[in-house]
């Protein structure tokens, strides 16, 4: 039976997946802004820092919204990203509230762990799709490097 420590560990893994997605979307928005403001041809560290600081204050939902207006490929992932946003919000704002006293029993920890595994899969699916949109196939990279293919939700990155 899973323990509360297993739940806490998985919660951290799911949180990491959410942060990977958020960071990658922020990077995409930064790249887009750098091109729009001509920072690629004419570097300007002050302007780059200003853009970075502004992007860094965005929530995951704001990043998805802003990128959806600038990147046509993001709109193709709208359903996947919307679901990832809901999962991330549930994780951050209501996971423990929803599960409440389940943490006090083996059966409850099993239910919590199942929920976290599903959330992890959804967040990694969104992250892998965003990466693929940019030409990076994480599954292929993991296989190329000699790593055995991982089951869904267990991508080694």
């Amino acid at each position: 039976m899973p323990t509360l420590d297993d739940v806490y560990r998985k919660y951290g893994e799911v949180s990491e997946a959410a942060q990977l997605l958020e960071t990658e979307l922020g990077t995409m928005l930064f790249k887009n802004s750098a091109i729009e403001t001509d920072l690629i041809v004419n570097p300007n560290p002050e302007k780059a820092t200003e853009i970075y600081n502004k992007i860094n204050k965005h929530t995951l939902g704001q990043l998805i919204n802003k990128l959806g207006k600038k990147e046509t490929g993001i709109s193709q992932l709208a359903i996947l990203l919307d679901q990832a946003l809901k999962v991330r919000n549930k994780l951050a704002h209501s996971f423990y509230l929803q599960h409440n006293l389940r943490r006090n029993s083996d059966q409850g920890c099993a239910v919590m762990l199942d929920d976290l595994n599903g959330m992890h899969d959804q967040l990694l699916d969104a992250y892998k799709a965003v990466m693929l949109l940019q030409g990076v196939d994480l599954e292929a990279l993991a296989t190329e490097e000699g790593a055995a293919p991982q089951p869904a939700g267990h991508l080694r990155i």
Side-chain angles (χ1 to χ4, degrees):
M1 283 309 245
T3 66
L4 187 56
D5 283 346
D6 295 326
V7 170
Y8 288 153
R9 182 174 33 260
K10 189 63 183 188
Y11 185 95
E13 291 173 3
V14 178
S15 181
E16 176 190 30
Q19 289 180 25
L20 286 169
L21 175 61
E22 190 169 356
T23 298
E24 195 56 41
L25 292 172
T27 300
M28 289 177 69
L29 189 56
F30 182 83
K31 179 188 80 172
N32 217 299
S33 297
I35 292 169
E36 285 176 357
T37 57
D38 198 33
L39 287 178
I40 308 300
V41 176
N42 298 304
N44 180 333
E46 292 81 19
K47 183 65 175 171
T49 300
E50 178 186 322
I51 292 169
Y52 171 80
N53 287 337
K54 186 175 180 182
I55 289 171
N56 204 33
K57 292 178 184 175
H58 289 1
T59 64
L60 180 58
Q62 290 169 329
L63 289 169
I64 293 168
N65 186 35
K66 287 192 183 265
L67 273 172
K69 294 175 183 173
K70 295 178 181 239
E71 289 273 340
T72 54
I74 288 292
S75 62
Q76 297 168 352
L77 304 178
I79 293 171
L80 194 59
L81 291 173
D82 183 57
Q83 188 60 37
L85 176 61
K86 288 176 183 171
V87 165
R88 204 279 311 167
N89 286 343
K90 174 184 173 184
L91 180 73
H93 302 295
S94 66
F95 177 78
Y96 287 107
L97 180 64
Q98 175 188 354
H99 287 288
N100 200 356
L101 297 177
R102 286 190 180 120
R103 65 184 299 284
N104 298 330
S105 72
D106 290 344
Q107 297 83 2
C109 285
V111 170
M112 293 171 77
L113 199 56
D114 284 345
D115 192 14
L116 287 167
N117 281 324
M119 295 167 78
H120 196 216
D121 290 345
Q122 289 178 296
L123 287 165
L124 282 180
D125 286 346
Y127 177 64
K128 289 186 285 188
V130 167
M131 294 299 290
L132 194 57
L133 182 64
Q134 298 180 92
V136 178
D137 186 341
L138 293 174
E139 295 286 352
L141 286 174
T143 303
E144 283 175 17
E145 292 181 9
Q150 300 293 314
H154 298 282
L155 181 63
R156 296 179 72 195
I157 35 182

